[in-house]
Amino acid sequence: MEFSELGINEKVLKAISELGYEQSTPIQEQVIPHIIADAGDLVALAQTGTGKTAAFGLPLLEKIKPEEKYTQVLILCPTRELCLQSYNFLVSYAKYLKKIKIVAVYGGVGIQQQISELKSGVHIIVATPGRLLDLMKRNIADISRINYFVLDEADIMLDMGFKDELDAIFVESGVHRQVLLFSATMPAEVAAIASGYMKNPAEIVIGGKNAGTDTIEHKYFMVHARDKYLALKRLVDFHPEIYGIIFCRTRISTQEIAEKMIKDGYDAEALHGDLSQVQREYVMQKFREKNIQLLIATDVAARGLDVDDLTHIIHYDLPDKSEIYSHRSGRTGRIGRKGISYAIINLKEKNKLKYIERFIKREITEAKVPGGREICEHQLMHLIDRAKTVKVDYEQIAPYMPVIEEKLASLDREELLQHFVSLEFNRFLTYYKNSKDLSPVLSRDNSRERSRDLSRDKSRDRNRDRSRDNSRDGRQRSSKNEDSTQFLDLSINLGKQDRITPPDLIGLINQSTRSRHIKIGRIDINMNTSRIQIEESSFNEVVEALDDFTFKNRKIQIKIEGNTRGKKNERKARTRRQAARKKKKKDSSYS
Ligand code: AMP
């Protein structure tokens, strides 16, 4: 439908046509007339990326009386990124409505600028809950006369724990306002807001309640936890044109995966809450401009990112809540485009998927992580396609052609092609040579075997997979084989009777060496001792560090399994320790 048919005025029509909006989206077709007609409170259930900011923003601009200098519209958003995003959209929609004043107020930045903007009189406040309340308490923001109260991404707002702030803001917002609530999902907390603060709200549902967008294909890949990173790399390698977000659950894992990917030569960056606002904006800008292909992000940090044409969403960690899965996946397949959502899961996460499927009312189909051969074929075809379609600047190349021809004269056409292809392609062939199948073998329902496997997966997850193939060759992806790390065995005097767990042992190594980058292989915990595989190149460092270390008031004793180099080290460390003890004794006898 044309926007002019929806009752939008000429000046706004001009601004949105400059933004490239030609036809309205389904949510706009339903929400715009509702607001224009002042038809009362509204609950609109729609995924992000359906055009909801314009759905409420465009008609609300029609409703502002610029000559009245009080705040008439409040738009509440969960994060500062979303707040800024909505603010920027509104400002661009109001480009030719010079008298309308819009301000964004959000935390994490100085408050003074926001105070002076509010004092000068604003018609629309776009805010995050905490900062708005602060400004209300200082009597700077006055929302008592607002006519429209928009709650954007209400489910996220409640998920982030803003219930108390919302209650306080509702109380101050007068009684004559219309409440327009937008949410991707309708959990009980959102329903409670609707029933507590809204009067007979109309309900608009785009794409079915809690349903994922139709254009998204959902797949999952089951691997051992230790192979998750390898699986991620294979999926990325299988899709050379990927432009997507990889979601991790914690800031630490986000940073770790991003660092590994960057080391391995991928165009990737991390986006999480430990970065400063400036850093986050810089990363988002780079991603928007497609200067990076992959963003490794936490859910909250990725909220503020407005990118329409993502090809893939990868759930490196499944989220705890199905709503979050739905939000994440909704970032691809936007505005009718095709999108792909991949979940990399380990054995015990299968059940979670069932809940998610029920929630999104869509099947998540199992797929196999591509094998080395398939990846190489894909990459090769991609390379050929690129070569075929690359724009050739004949004029610029012309002066060099005689020399090039002379240099390559000894190669016939077939050899030339072979050389040219190998130039780019050798690294994939080398890397994927002898690559293994990553699908876990679940032949018998042997639960003991399976649970042992799971606990081992847990312990190695953060370490072993990170240990593989971290070298970088300039900007090129590493060509080291997937399974090239050499490990040596170390035995330590802590075991089941000390209630030691694999994560404890990993922590012990990280703490004693003050490094998180030591590659750890297999861990076996026996009754009194544990055996740990340490990468050969860091073995000496670990032996020395552990030998002087205490764990829960117990002196750690190590024993080197098998190899002589290791034994020499153990002896050296022991001599050093004895010398230190003697010195200590001597010092104390003088004092
Ligand atoms: P939103 O759901 O508000 O986050 O919007 C998602 C994206 O869709 C934004 O980049 C908008 O600029 C864009 N958009 C919104 N409405 C339209 C439209 N009618 N035509 C084209 N793009 C739109």
Side-chain angles (χ1 to χ4, degrees):
M1 200 185 268
E2 301 278 329
F3 281 101
S4 51
E5 296 171 59
L6 294 169
I8 302 297
N9 83 51
E10 283 300 321
K11 286 182 175 167
V12 176
L13 285 180
K14 186 170 175 219
I16 58 173
S17 88
E18 284 174 15
L19 292 174
Y21 297 10
E22 283 162 11
Q23 295 287 319
S24 53
T25 64
I27 191 169
Q28 290 160 359
E29 271 163 42
Q30 297 196 52
V31 173
I32 294 174
H34 180 100
I35 299 177
I36 296 273
D38 276 332
D41 290 354
L42 172 73
V43 170
L45 290 182
Q47 299 286 313
T48 40
T50 47
K52 63 185 163 58
T53 316
F56 62 76
L58 302 180
L60 287 178
L61 289 175
E62 305 289 328
K63 296 287 175 183
I64 299 292
K65 296 179 203 108
E67 64 287 356
E68 307 271 0
K69 299 291 178 211
Y70 64 93
T71 301
Q72 299 164 38
V73 171
L74 169 64
I75 299 165
L76 217 50
C77 314
T79 65
R80 58 185 161 191
E81 279 83 8
L82 275 173
C83 174
L84 274 169
Q85 186 181 304
S86 296
Y87 166 79
N88 286 329
F89 274 134
L90 283 170
V91 169
S92 55
Y93 302 153
K95 185 173 170 191
Y96 300 108
L97 302 171
K98 295 284 179 218
K99 289 185 184 151
I100 296 186
K101 290 243 176 87
I102 311 171
V103 68
V105 302
Y106 50 90
V109 291
I111 201 165
Q112 282 313 323
Q113 170 73 18
Q114 296 173 1
I115 290 179
S116 60
E117 282 185 68
L118 283 166
K119 277 187 172 167
S120 69
V122 294
H123 300 107
I124 303 179
I125 299 180
V126 191
T128 52
R131 177 56 65 94
L132 177 67
L133 259 187
D134 188 354
L135 289 160
M136 282 162 60
K137 282 180 192 151
R138 296 174 190 226
N139 290 325
I140 302 292
D142 177 7
I143 60 161
S144 61
R145 295 174 71 194
I146 56 169
N147 303 318
Y148 301 91
F149 183 176
V150 178
L151 282 143
D152 195 9
E153 310 256 5
D155 50 352
I156 298 290
M157 208 133 40
L158 291 162
D159 213 35
M160 288 175 72
F162 283 130
K163 173 80 173 68
D164 292 346
E165 285 85 348
L166 276 188
D167 287 337
I169 293 168
F170 262 111
V171 169
E172 295 295 320
S173 67
V175 283
H176 299 298
R177 75 283 184 272
Q178 279 178 47
V179 182
L180 310 165
L181 183 151
F182 290 81
S183 190
T185 59
M186 193 67 176
E189 298 89 333
V190 176
I193 290 279
S195 63
Y197 293 109
M198 298 169 77
K199 287 178 232 111
N200 303 324
E203 194 174 296
I204 290 175
V205 181
I206 302 294
K209 265 189 202 177
N210 298 338
T213 313
D214 285 339
T215 50
I216 303 172
E217 187 178 287
H218 296 265
K219 288 191 176 169
Y220 76 90
F221 301 85
M222 172 117 69
V223 294
H224 287 290
R226 63 170 182 265
D227 289 330
K228 268 196 170 183
Y229 180 64
L230 291 182
L232 171 67
K233 289 211 303 183
R234 287 199 190 179
L235 290 174
V236 171
D237 286 345
F238 192 69
H239 297 283
E241 297 280 76
I242 190 169
Y243 175 53
I245 305 180
I246 298 162
F247 282 99
C248 297
R249 207 178 335 204
T250 65
R251 294 169 186 195
I252 293 174
S253 60
T254 303
Q255 187 63 33
E256 270 182 15
I257 301 297
E259 278 173 15
K260 275 156 70 171
M261 294 218 75
I262 295 165
K263 259 189 186 172
D264 287 348
Y266 295 87
D267 281 331
E269 288 279 356
L271 184 71
H272 53 73
D274 284 346
L275 304 177
S276 69
Q277 167 105 19
V278 175
Q279 283 171 318
R280 275 196 273 173
E281 270 160 22
Y282 175 68
V283 170
M284 287 198 272
Q285 193 56 26
K286 262 171 87 178
F287 188 62
R288 273 188 212 109
E289 289 167 358
K290 304 209 167 137
N291 287 328
I292 35 179
Q293 248 187 312
L294 296 165
L295 202 62
I296 329 293
T298 56
D299 291 289
V300 172
R303 281 277 152 184
L305 192 66
D306 164 46
V307 182
D308 294 333
D309 48 354
L310 292 178
T311 59
H312 290 73
I313 289 298
I314 300 183
H315 311 265
Y316 189 81
D317 296 316
L318 274 184
D320 289 329
K321 292 192 175 168
S322 305
E323 287 99 321
I324 310 261
Y325 177 95
S326 171
H327 268 292
R328 289 176 175 181
S329 306
R331 308 206 58 126
T332 183
R334 282 187 172 190
I335 317 276
R337 289 193 193 93
K338 198 174 164 304
I340 294 174
S341 170
Y342 285 162
I344 305 174
I345 65 164
N346 60 35
L347 305 173
K348 65 171 182 179
E349 288 176 309
K350 186 77 197 291
N351 268 345
K352 257 193 194 174
L353 272 189
K354 290 209 184 92
Y355 287 109
I356 293 173
E357 278 184 323
R358 231 173 282 151
F359 184 82
I360 62 167
K361 300 194 176 72
R362 199 140 281 144
E363 195 189 354
I364 306 177
T365 50
E366 179 164 17
K368 215 169 159 255
V369 178
R373 194 191 161 95
E374 287 163 274
I375 292 170
C376 288
E377 274 172 20
H378 240 242
Q379 286 283 351
L380 182 59
M381 289 312 131
H382 178 66
L383 176 64
I384 303 297
D385 287 345
R386 266 174 53 213
K388 219 174 142 184
T389 52
V390 69
K391 208 165 154 252
V392 180
D393 190 334
Y394 296 99
E395 231 172 82
Q396 295 276 354
I397 290 181
Y400 308 103
M401 282 312 287
V403 192
I404 295 171
E405 271 171 30
E406 195 190 320
K407 283 201 169 223
L408 298 174
S410 61
L411 302 174
D412 63 24
R413 183 183 146 84
E414 198 179 332
E415 285 169 334
L416 199 59
L417 287 177
Q418 284 161 347
H419 277 246
F420 146 78
V421 164
S422 305
L423 207 59
E424 265 286 295
F425 194 53
N426 274 354
R427 61 199 164 97
F428 278 103
L429 284 178
T430 319
Y431 180 73
Y432 283 111
K433 194 167 69 183
N434 305 327
S435 59
K436 60 174 183 169
D437 184 354
L438 295 185
S439 308
V441 184
L442 293 174
S443 49
R444 281 165 297 136
D445 185 21
N446 184 336
S447 56
R448 272 189 71 188
E449 191 175 300
R450 208 176 129 168
S451 69
R452 203 169 51 211
D453 192 22
L454 288 177
S455 72
R456 259 190 228 143
D457 274 358
K458 228 191 214 167
S459 73
R460 289 184 224 154
D461 185 23
R462 282 175 300 142
N463 292 275
R464 188 167 177 181
D465 63 2
R466 126 184 133 188
S467 73
R468 313 255 174 104
D469 183 28
N470 273 349
S471 73
R472 181 139 96 119
D473 174 18
R475 280 182 55 80
Q476 290 220 325
R477 295 188 195 167
S478 166
S479 59
K480 233 164 109 187
N481 195 285
E482 274 186 350
D483 279 312
S484 59
T485 309
Q486 286 289 330
F487 292 100
L488 294 176
D489 287 351
L490 176 88
S491 177
I492 135 169
N493 62 329
L494 296 169
K496 281 185 192 148
Q497 66 172 23
D498 306 288
R499 294 171 181 251
I500 193 107
T501 61
D504 288 337
L505 291 170
I506 293 161
L508 195 61
I509 291 166
N510 290 347
Q511 267 178 39
S512 63
T513 55
R514 292 169 188 253
S515 161
R516 298 176 55 79
H517 300 287
I518 291 178
K519 300 170 192 172
I520 298 167
R522 195 187 161 98
I523 295 178
D524 289 311
I525 301 183
N526 305 314
M527 192 48 73
N528 308 319
T529 58
S530 299
R531 212 168 59 153
I532 314 162
Q533 287 191 321
I534 309 287
E535 63 166 329
E536 189 176 15
S537 57
S538 301
F539 192 78
N540 294 349
E541 187 189 343
V542 175
V543 169
E544 288 197 10
L546 274 183
D547 203 52
D548 257 344
F549 219 69
T550 25
F551 175 80
K552 293 187 185 161
N553 294 329
R554 275 196 66 185
K555 262 242 155 9
I556 288 171
Q557 286 174 1
I558 47 167
K559 218 171 148 203
I560 314 297
E561 305 274 318
N563 78 87
T564 46
R565 234 179 319 162
K567 283 200 164 149
K568 256 190 218 156
N569 248 322
E570 184 193 21
R571 271 200 300 276
K572 262 198 227 160
R574 198 162 294 145
T575 318
R576 221 172 293 148
R577 198 178 51 202
Q578 279 165 357
R581 262 197 231 117
K582 263 190 202 160
K583 187 173 180 296
K584 208 171 158 193
K585 222 170 160 186
K586 209 168 146 194
D587 288 350
S588 58
S589 65
Y590 283 121
S591 59

